[in-house]
Structures are given as C-alpha cells and as structure tokens.
Amino acid sequence: MASQATATDKASKKARFEQVFTDRLVQELVEHVRVDHEMPEEATKWYERSLLYNTVGGKANRGMSVVDTVEILKGEKLSEEEYFEASTLGWCVELLQADFLVADDMMDYSITRRDNPCWYRVEGVGNIAINDAFMLEAAIYFLLKKHFRSRAYYIDLVELFLESASQTMSGQLLDLLTAPEDSVDLNRFSMQKYDRIVVYKTAYYSFYLPVALAMRMSGITNEQAYKVALDILIEMGHYFQIQDDYLDCFGTPEQIGKIGCDIVDNKCSWCVNTALLHATPDQRKILDENYGVKDSAKEKRVKELYVQEPISLPQRFEKFETESYQKLSSMIDQVDEQGTGMKKEVFHAFLAKVYKRSK
C-alpha cells in the first residue's frame, strides 16, 4: 500500500507540474508568436503542436527537480506564486531538453522517443524540425524575460541557460566527431573522450542547471555553494549517463521509452569503451566487425559479447554503481551547510532519484 501511495503522489505531483505548462505557459508562448510576431493561425497551431509533442510526455525529472530543490531550500511548502515561478524555471529546463532531443534525434536518425515517433519522423514535419528546435530554445528566453526580468538574479538565470546550451553543444560536437555513423573506427574511442562528452553533453544541463536555478531563486549568492554543487552534480551526471548507456543496451523499450540504438549508431558509450579496455584480441576483432553496423544480427552479436568474460559488462556495471553511490554519498556528507544556504538534502534527493533506476 505504501508504494502504491507513493506512486499516486508522484503522479499527482507530475500532473500539477504539467498543468502549469499546458494551461498557462503554452498559451503565453503561442500568444507571443501570434501577436508579437504576427504569425497566422497555421503557424501558431504548428508551434503549439510542437511545444506539446516535444516537451510534454517525458519523465520531467529535470524540470520537477527545480521545484523540489526550491522547496527543500525554503524548508516549507511553496506558495502558489512561488510554485508557479519554480515550475516556470523547470519548464525552461524541459524546453532546453526538448530542443536538444529534437536535434539529436535527427542527427542520430533515431526512430522513437517517449514511445512515439521522433518529431522529424512525424508525417509532414521532416526538416521543419530543425526550425522547431530553434523555436523551443527561443521559448526559454521569452519566459525568463516575461516572468523574471524584474528580479535581481535575472541575468544569472539567462547566463545559466546560455552556458548550459554552449556546454551541451560542445559535448555533442565531440560526440559526433568521435563516432560518426558513416565511418566506424573504434580506435577513435577512449574512456577519456567518453568522460568529456558526458560532462559537457549531459551532466551540466541535466543535473547542475536545475539545482543552480533553484539556488538563484532561493537567494543563495555564496559562490562556494555553487562550486560544491557543481562538483557533486557533475559526478552524479556522469553516473547517470553510464546508467543510461547500460540501459540502452540491456533495458527494454518499455523500460526506457525508446528503442536502444547505441550499438548500431556507433555511439561512443560506456559499454563499448569498457569492452575495448577488457576485450581479448579475438573479442576485439568481433567488435570491429560488428559494432556500428545497422544490422540486427550484428547488434545481437555485440550484446552477446558484452556479457562474456573478461568483458562481463553486467558485473562491471554493478560494481561501478555501488562504488559511485558510495563516492557520491561521501561527497554529500562533506557539504558544509553553515553560512552557505545550501542543504545536503538537495543532493540526497537527486541521488535517490537515480540510484539503481531501471528507466
């Protein structure tokens, strides 16, 4: 009964968060395009459809983390106005995520996203999705200006999003150059490159950005607090991405909401980099012959190889997950709350969400 109640509370919490977007923010954005940009009904309807299709429907963990963090830092339930403002910042994070996913799916020729066809694969969309991705990002700065321009921390919010976008684009560039789909060469891969891709492409915007936004909204100005948060959350983002890579290979589409395609897409993932570090010469030959090929039989061959000794990915991942949890717990325990306005509970809440996740 307790787990059922928890699931119900979580669903209710998510529904309230989504209502802020669907009932108010989408209308503000559509009205902005209709009035300020003088767009006809055809364009405004398209924009509204893009906003809803690409931004709603995911787990919304990044966005909801802004609300959760503000509430933890305040130490009490948020007022309606505070909840709306925190949710607006959360939806700005979700808009950034939507922008990245629309573009990333096109670059990877992905098929599904959140159990639906990727936006560019929807009938009639195609390359218009490129412009839609730009508009998703532009929506962030409209909402920030509309709701936070009068705040002392407004420029801090803008800079956080600009820096997050810049970091993620750099990470994506390194990812694309390291693992082009049309030129498979496993000699390009290395764990050092992988770690750099993870930090820039995922960890900064997925983990540090939501917390830093909440800290700004909560009035935290101590720069050391931001440095501590960055160190912990980048480490947590690294752990999260390795989980993601492992689930892409060993999870089911029902679990992860998409068809795992890292192997056939020649991705520089934790799985293949770990395999390269431990493979025998014969196993390396099999990897070279089968990795990065759009062939289900070859993909299956790689997955079979991953579980064989001495590669043994399931055992290595289990060990990594345990060690990561211990390391992160230790880092969190060392957080000095005195005088910074920061609370350890923020990081414990994040860690609880990702530890041993299965989707």
Side-chain angles (χ1 to χ4, degrees):
M1 292 294 291
S3 60
Q4 184 178 351
T6 301
T8 302
D9 291 345
K10 187 174 181 181
S12 175
K13 186 177 173 183
K14 185 181 177 186
R16 184 188 181 196
F17 179 69
E18 287 187 346
Q19 194 172 11
V20 171
F21 188 70
T22 56
D23 289 5
R24 182 167 172 181
L25 298 182
V26 169
Q27 301 314 313
E28 290 179 355
L29 289 165
V30 171
E31 189 70 2
H32 166 59
V33 168
R34 186 182 71 81
V35 176
D36 298 338
H37 296 173
E38 300 179 334
M39 289 293 101
E41 185 177 8
E42 177 187 16
T44 58
K45 283 187 175 296
W46 181 284
Y47 182 46
E48 182 174 10
R49 182 184 174 209
S50 170
L51 285 168
L52 293 170
Y53 192 97
N54 293 304
T55 312
V56 180
K59 295 185 288 290
N61 286 337
R62 293 170 180 83
M64 290 172 66
S65 292
V66 180
V67 181
D68 292 343
T69 304
V70 172
E71 195 162 49
I72 290 170
L73 292 173
K74 185 181 180 186
E76 59 187 50
K77 186 177 179 180
L78 304 182
S79 68
E80 285 297 321
E81 181 180 358
E82 289 170 332
Y83 180 83
F84 172 75
E85 290 182 351
S87 295
T88 298
L89 290 178
W91 279 110
C92 285
V93 177
E94 292 296 323
L95 283 163
L96 187 65
Q97 161 82 342
D99 164 36
F100 293 152
L101 294 184
V102 169
D104 191 63
D105 285 342
M106 294 188 75
M107 287 182 265
D108 290 346
Y109 304 101
S110 296
I111 298 170
T112 60
R113 172 70 64 181
R114 297 168 177 168
D115 296 323
N116 291 308
C118 295
W119 178 238
Y120 80 98
R121 291 177 61 88
V122 172
E123 185 177 358
V125 178
N127 285 340
I128 299 175
I130 298 171
N131 193 67
D132 291 333
F134 295 153
M135 293 188 74
L136 289 166
E137 184 179 8
I140 296 167
Y141 300 102
F142 168 77
L143 292 175
L144 291 179
K145 183 177 179 180
K146 180 176 178 64
H147 295 288
F148 297 95
R149 190 179 185 186
S150 63
R151 305 302 172 86
Y153 54 85
Y154 168 64
I155 191 62
D156 296 307
L157 301 180
V158 172
E159 288 184 346
L160 276 168
F161 277 102
L162 290 173
E163 182 63 18
S164 295
S166 177
Q167 295 236 19
T168 306
M169 291 170 195
S170 294
Q172 177 73 343
L173 174 62
L174 182 56
D175 191 11
L176 293 169
L177 292 176
T178 302
E181 286 194 54
D182 58 352
S183 177
V184 181
D185 180 1
L186 299 185
N187 289 317
R188 289 194 183 107
F189 293 179
S190 72
M191 201 59 88
Q192 182 181 23
K193 277 186 179 179
Y194 172 77
D195 290 342
R196 189 166 297 171
I197 290 169
V198 168
V199 168
Y200 285 94
K201 185 177 175 180
T202 301
Y204 194 90
Y205 92 92
S206 294
F207 286 83
Y208 177 68
L209 175 61
V211 172
L213 292 170
M215 291 168 69
R216 290 297 178 191
M217 182 178 163
S218 301
I220 295 177
T221 57
N222 185 298
E223 289 306 315
Q224 182 59 26
Y226 288 89
K227 173 66 168 61
V228 169
L230 181 64
D231 290 345
I232 293 173
L233 294 164
I234 292 299
E235 184 69 29
M236 203 176 297
H238 183 261
Y239 163 52
F240 174 88
Q241 185 58 52
I242 290 176
Q243 280 182 314
D244 209 55
D245 291 354
Y246 185 79
L247 289 170
D248 183 276
C249 180
F250 294 100
T252 66
E254 291 74 25
Q255 277 182 295
I256 62 177
K258 64 179 181 178
I259 298 172
C261 53
D262 284 357
I263 293 173
V264 297
D265 285 350
N266 188 38
K267 283 297 182 181
C268 180
S269 78
W270 177 83
C271 294
V272 70
N273 276 293
T274 302
L276 289 169
L277 286 174
H278 300 283
T280 64
D282 287 343
Q283 288 174 329
R284 172 59 192 260
K285 186 173 185 294
I286 293 171
L287 278 172
D288 286 328
E289 292 172 349
N290 292 275
Y291 197 82
V293 183
K294 295 190 184 300
D295 181 310
S296 59
K298 290 181 179 292
E299 179 186 28
K300 182 181 178 182
R301 186 71 187 93
V302 173
K303 288 186 177 182
E304 291 171 345
L305 188 70
Y306 279 169
V307 301
Q308 295 173 8
E309 295 183 351
I311 296 175
S312 308
L313 282 189
Q315 292 82 2
R316 293 186 187 280
F317 175 74
E318 184 177 358
K319 182 174 183 291
F320 161 80
E321 187 162 50
T322 299
E323 291 175 349
S324 293
Y325 181 80
Q326 292 170 347
K327 179 179 181 180
L328 285 163
S329 296
S330 177
M331 292 175 75
I332 294 169
D333 287 341
Q334 294 173 39
V335 171
D336 182 7
E337 297 183 354
Q338 299 301 317
T340 65
M342 204 55 204
K343 294 183 179 180
K344 296 178 184 180
E345 187 184 346
V346 168
F347 306 114
H348 282 305
F350 253 83
L351 186 55
K353 289 177 183 177
V354 300
Y355 181 54
K356 288 192 177 294
R357 69 187 177 98
S358 59
K359 60 182 179 178

